[in-house]
Amino acid sequence: MFFTKTAIGGHHIKSGIVCQDYSASYHDAERTIVTSCDGHGGAVYLRSDRGAKFASYAAINVLRNVNRRTFYRRRTEDVANQLRVQLLCEWNALVERDLAARPLRKGEVKHLSDEQLFSLRMEPVKAYGTTVAAAMLYGSKLVILSLGDGGCFLFRRGRMIPAFEEEDDEQVANLTNSLCQSDAAEHMHVGIFDADRFDGALLCTDGVINPYQTLDNFERSLAIPAAGKVIEHRERKLSDFIVRLGGEIGVGDDVTLSILLKDDVNRRTYSKEV
Amino acid sequence: MNDRISKQKLNLMLLVDTSTSMRGKRIGQVNSAIRDVQKYLTELEGENSNVDFYLTVITFSTTASLLNGDREKKIDDFRFDDIKAGGWSNLHLAYETLETLLKKEKYGGIMPDFGGVAPILLLLTDGHPTEKATEQLDRLKELPWFRVALKYGIAIELDDERTLRCLNDFVSDNGDVVECYDSGMLEKIIKIIVLTASKVKSSHSSVHAGEVQKTGEIVQQEVQSALSDVDDWEW
């Protein structure tokens, strides 16, 4: 079972800014992948909506190519490093291809200061700055990749826990790590979990989690009830809520929620509103 | 699922020197400014769907304390009684108090675990600290919420390089020090800084980690422009 939904934020609607979040999913007989990406909102990140889309494509391309040999006789950390490098190469390749096909135009950069313009000339990839998060259920593995301030959580027996213990506390307020920074690989989390131990995963952008402010509140008020809706196949209701969260009741930012659950999850564990 | 949703928090934190030299007109101007700031931010919050304003006032003299004992208070719930001055100027104790606040809630601070807007910190003083505050400031600088905070120092009627250095060290590379040569202008200067910064900061966008300084610079430009109407100040 899986669910992905992206909706534009109220602030973006009012300001006439495009939605800079992007989510995608991939499903075949062997695996299910969901993504959740958030293009940055600063002036210099003028193609961050495309950056977020490319991040989703890149994550799916990389995870689709994972096979049993990927894990065979290899240390988890080596696999994680390989995925980090592949994701960064894939995203940068997509961005470079896009820049070659559609170079930055004068009209796009006219609102930038000289300093911002200079920084973009030095590093055009910055225009595409985005976070990325992706989760894949594949055989006995649950793989999660994440860079930036999006939320990545695991479901287990009706509870939600952070996917990564070593939280990046540097990411406070509106600061986030990004695929466009030169040391992105150092900040990218990769988790390869035993799928038997978990019911699934939840990914979201900061527009979803920020209005809940605390982990406990987020778990009880959104994550568990949302998983319940997916299990009960009431995705339409969840989808409508995400649209409202973005456009009306949230903090005005774009919102993305992606949920991945095993087919044999105990319904009752997630069925009640907590 | 929407019953526990909040707007983003924007914390305004004032560190007010209440040593003996602040008595009289100076502390009177500070009190008037805080009252007006509270009134204006309450109105701004009503107009702004993005943020809830929270106010914290740390006073420091011989000891440091939180006004009314409140670590933070939503702006419209803030009960303000005039601050009184008297005692030494133990800035290091104010820094220690600030350190306990500028952490995520799950670590015992007042900052949200997720989201939130970089806080605005305003340090007002009219003299050199009684004791060195270097060690306490170094500890503050290790806190991510302190580093992203927009920081202003107001030097009240002082011509003392050591104190200016102390204020510059506080604002480090994300803020400014404003010299107020006439305490009669203090109220106006406080209001301009706080209100302009609050307005700009309450409409924020995400940036990647290297861009924090630029966000601060936008606020600084706005504040500088607003302050240009005030005759008796210098940057």
Side-chain angles (χ1 to χ4, degrees):
Chain A
M1 290 175 280
F2 63 96
F3 169 89
T4 60
K5 180 68 185 176
T6 291
I8 190 166
H11 173 66
H12 287 231
I13 295 169
K14 277 184 205 156
S15 315
I17 304 167
V18 295
C19 178
Q20 291 157 333
D21 273 16
Y22 197 85
S23 57
S25 58
Y26 172 86
H27 178 69
D28 64 21
E30 286 191 307
R31 75 194 74 210
T32 305
I33 305 168
V34 294
T35 70
S36 163
C37 305
D38 180 358
H40 309 327
V44 78
Y45 311 103
L46 41 91
R47 288 187 181 175
S48 69
D49 56 323
R50 297 178 69 75
K53 187 193 279 190
F54 294 153
S56 278
Y57 291 171
I60 287 178
N61 289 346
V62 168
L63 291 174
R64 273 177 64 183
N65 287 321
V66 168
N67 55 39
R68 297 191 195 288
R69 280 202 310 275
T70 308
F71 302 103
Y72 185 65
R73 288 189 176 177
R74 294 184 69 196
R75 291 186 314 138
T76 304
E77 193 46 43
D78 293 337
V79 178
N81 281 334
Q82 179 188 326
L83 294 176
R84 275 187 195 99
V85 171
Q86 285 178 343
L87 177 56
L88 288 171
C89 289
E90 186 76 17
W91 182 77
N92 277 287
L94 289 169
V95 167
E96 279 166 23
R97 211 174 300 158
D98 194 62
L99 274 168
R102 306 168 63 233
L104 293 171
R105 297 184 309 272
K106 276 187 183 169
E108 277 181 288
V109 299
K110 66 181 178 193
H111 61 289
L112 298 183
S113 66
D114 288 346
E115 195 187 345
Q116 287 170 324
L117 209 51
F118 179 75
S119 121
L120 214 48
R121 286 217 173 104
M122 292 294 102
E123 297 175 86
V125 69
K126 212 182 244 186
Y128 295 78
T130 181
T131 70
V132 61
M136 173 175 73
L137 261 173
Y138 172 69
S140 63
K141 305 287 185 193
L142 173 56
V143 180
I144 300 183
L145 309 173
S146 172
L147 176 73
D149 61 359
C152 294
F153 302 97
L154 296 162
F155 288 117
R156 182 162 62 186
R157 296 182 198 145
R159 294 301 308 267
M160 182 204 82
I161 51 173
F164 302 106
E165 283 175 12
E166 70 283 20
E167 191 186 334
D168 195 342
D169 281 327
E170 293 295 317
Q171 295 183 139
V172 297
N174 61 334
L175 286 190
T176 175
N177 284 314
S178 171
L179 277 173
C180 72
Q181 67 196 61
S182 55
D183 60 349
E186 289 169 31
H187 297 278
M188 190 182 297
H189 293 296
V190 179
I192 300 169
F193 306 95
D194 181 356
D196 288 342
R197 294 179 55 222
F198 299 99
D199 295 334
L202 178 150
L203 311 175
C204 64
T205 55
D206 63 342
V208 168
I209 200 164
N210 286 356
Y212 293 91
Q213 294 193 357
T214 67
L215 191 61
D216 177 58
N217 188 29
F218 181 68
E219 178 191 11
R220 299 197 311 152
S221 303
L222 184 94
I224 302 301
K229 298 258 180 310
V230 175
I231 293 166
E232 293 161 9
H233 301 292
R234 291 161 68 198
E235 290 94 342
R236 172 64 69 86
K237 197 171 177 188
L238 181 56
S239 192
D240 291 346
F241 175 74
I242 294 301
V243 172
R244 281 183 58 225
L245 183 64
E248 298 168 36
I249 58 177
V251 294
D253 199 0
D254 299 331
V255 289
T256 292
L257 179 71
S258 300
I259 292 176
L260 182 59
L261 289 165
K262 294 195 307 198
D263 291 330
D264 59 354
V265 173
N266 182 345
R267 284 168 184 248
R268 286 170 57 196
T269 324
Y270 295 90
S271 62
K272 58 186 177 187
E273 301 273 339
V274 184
Chain B
M1 286 186 282
N2 61 356
D3 55 342
R4 292 191 181 188
I5 288 175
S6 313
K7 291 189 211 172
Q8 295 282 74
K9 273 172 78 176
L10 202 171
N11 290 77
L12 167 63
M13 307 172 91
L14 308 177
L15 286 80
V16 183
D17 182 350
T18 53
S19 59
T20 305
S21 56
M22 284 289 288
R23 276 181 179 161
K25 194 175 177 184
R26 292 176 187 175
I27 203 68
Q29 290 267 317
V30 173
N31 285 328
S32 296
I34 293 176
R35 281 186 203 289
D36 280 0
V37 160
Q38 182 185 12
K39 190 175 155 210
Y40 184 86
L41 290 187
T42 305
E43 286 169 15
L44 185 60
E45 187 177 279
E47 297 162 10
N48 189 320
S49 58
N50 290 338
V51 299
D52 282 332
F53 290 102
Y54 284 75
L55 182 60
T56 300
V57 180
I58 300 172
T59 59
F60 62 97
S61 55
T62 307
T63 59
S65 57
L66 292 157
L67 196 63
N68 301 329
D70 292 325
R71 284 156 55 87
E72 64 174 345
K73 202 77 178 173
K74 208 162 169 306
I75 195 77
D76 44 357
D77 294 335
F78 192 81
R79 186 176 56 80
F80 183 70
D81 297 320
D82 277 353
I83 301 170
K84 291 182 176 55
W88 295 340
S89 179
N90 282 327
L91 178 61
H92 68 289
L93 297 178
Y95 285 168
E96 282 176 1
T97 306
L98 186 61
E99 188 188 348
T100 65
L101 304 178
L102 283 179
K103 293 174 182 169
K104 291 184 176 182
E105 280 182 42
K106 63 183 175 186
Y107 301 132
I110 61 168
M111 307 312 293
D113 296 341
F114 300 107
V117 182
I120 300 165
L121 308 181
L122 187 61
L123 169 60
L124 301 106
T125 187
D126 68 345
H128 196 68
T130 311
E131 286 188 34
K132 273 189 177 177
T134 321
E135 193 184 308
Q136 287 79 6
L137 184 58
D138 286 345
R139 285 212 304 272
L140 274 177
K141 285 179 178 177
E142 285 171 16
L143 302 177
W145 276 110
F146 181 79
R147 287 204 296 271
V148 299
L150 179 67
K151 297 171 280 277
Y152 274 91
I154 300 185
I156 306 164
E157 292 180 319
L158 57 84
D159 185 18
D160 168 17
E161 277 303 314
R162 283 189 317 155
T163 312
L164 283 176
R165 268 204 303 277
C166 181
L167 285 169
N168 276 308
D169 208 13
F170 173 76
V171 303
S172 47
D173 56 359
N174 191 27
D176 248 314
V177 173
V178 177
E179 292 185 61
C180 170
Y181 290 117
D182 175 3
S183 59
M185 301 303 292
L186 184 57
E187 179 183 341
K188 195 168 185 180
I189 289 174
I190 294 171
K191 284 195 285 191
I192 286 174
I193 292 173
V194 171
L195 304 183
T196 310
S198 301
K199 247 185 179 170
V200 179
K201 296 295 285 184
S202 59
S203 57
H204 71 297
S205 297
S206 62
V207 294
H208 93 260
E211 298 287 303
V212 59
Q213 199 170 345
K214 293 186 181 71
T215 314
E217 280 168 13
I218 294 167
V219 182
Q220 279 167 244
Q221 283 162 12
E222 295 275 341
V223 172
Q224 198 165 1
S225 158
L227 277 171
S228 62
D229 293 336
V230 181
D231 291 326
D232 196 11
W233 64 272
E234 275 187 11
W235 288 88

